[in-house]
Amino acid sequence: MITLYDCATAPSPRRARILLAEKGVPHETVQVDLRTSEQMGEAYRRINPQCTVPALRTSEGVLLTDNAAIAAWLEAYCPQPPLLGSTALEKADIASWQWRIEFEGLVAIAECLRNSSPAMANRALPGPVDYAQIPELAQRGLARVQQFFVMLNERLDGHDFVAADQFSVADITAVVAVDFARVVKVKPGEQHPHLLRWRAAMALRPSMAL
């Protein structure tokens, strides 16, 4: 059986949950409580020494410890529906937008949150090593998030999907990023009409409620 190590309140494992739902892949779920730092405990370290979620144990018993590996494995394990593209150009377009959304969106939000939240003092980066907060990075991260919304709104002008004119992993990552931005008090407004239209359309997919 496939097992997903999840946290219902965290954005990164939400990406894996949506992907599994879109693929229709049966799996078990084990919740890891990040609020109590369960991911740092010895029991979870024995499962995933990276101390992060999501992690996914495949049907072959191999542990995958990041969303990139999980998406690649799931696409090969369950090719339909294709969420990483079918043609060479589709794959390239989806990969490009996936990278941009991760770097310009999710990383920027995390940069802002992790370098400003008192609850994350000395935890400015995920993983087994503690890193001190840098307040200036929080300020830069907030500016980057705001620009990310502008960029995504411009991209969605005339497009129903983020990449390759089809629903893909780039849409999944973008939904998670847009929703996650609320933790740093950034959300789409009337200045982002294309982004608002797209997000409303995405909400019609049952997987997006996960």
Side-chain angles (χ1 to χ4, degrees):
M1 173 61 74
I2 297 166
T3 301
L4 175 68
Y5 294 90
D6 192 4
C7 176
T9 59
S12 288
R14 185 184 176 205
R15 295 169 62 185
R17 288 199 304 274
I18 295 172
L19 188 61
L20 285 159
E22 290 285 344
K23 289 287 189 180
V25 173
H27 62 283
E28 296 178 337
T29 297
V30 175
Q31 289 292 327
V32 180
D33 192 348
L34 302 188
R35 292 170 298 180
T36 62
S37 299
E38 184 181 356
Q39 79 277 18
M40 305 300 293
E42 286 303 317
Y44 189 67
R45 282 176 184 260
R46 287 194 292 270
I47 296 168
N48 178 13
Q50 299 300 316
C51 302
T52 56
V53 288
L56 184 137
R57 193 169 298 283
T58 72
S59 53
E60 301 92 348
V62 176
L63 190 75
L64 307 176
T65 59
D66 57 74
N67 274 300
I70 291 170
W73 182 83
L74 278 172
E75 187 83 345
Y77 177 80
C78 182
Q80 298 298 324
L83 296 178
L84 299 182
S86 299
T87 70
L89 288 177
E90 288 172 358
K91 289 176 183 291
D93 195 35
I94 291 168
S96 178
W97 278 101
Q98 172 82 335
W99 184 88
R100 289 193 69 180
I101 294 162
E102 288 184 338
F103 182 73
E104 299 180 29
L106 286 172
V107 171
I109 299 164
E111 189 176 69
C112 182
L113 175 65
R114 284 185 165 271
N115 286 285
S116 63
S117 171
M120 292 187 172
N122 211 38
R123 293 293 301 157
L125 291 171
V129 179
D130 291 339
Y131 291 97
Q133 292 176 325
I134 302 174
E136 291 81 0
L137 288 181
Q139 297 171 13
R140 186 184 73 177
L142 182 59
R144 292 180 64 205
V145 177
Q146 292 165 341
Q147 180 56 35
F148 168 69
F149 274 51
V150 172
M151 178 272 291
L152 196 55
N153 182 68
E154 291 175 351
R155 168 58 183 173
L156 290 165
D157 184 1
H159 294 275
D160 292 330
F161 303 103
V162 171
D165 293 322
Q166 61 187 272
F167 179 78
S168 73
V169 68
D171 293 287
I172 294 173
T173 305
V175 165
V176 172
V178 168
D179 293 353
F180 182 40
R182 294 173 184 170
V183 300
V184 294
K185 298 182 173 56
V186 179
K187 60 182 181 179
E190 60 182 13
Q191 70 274 35
H192 308 111
H194 311 298
L195 178 53
L196 288 171
R197 169 189 49 78
W198 164 85
R199 184 62 186 87
M202 289 296 107
L204 299 177
R205 306 182 76 92
S207 66
M208 296 301 172
L210 295 174

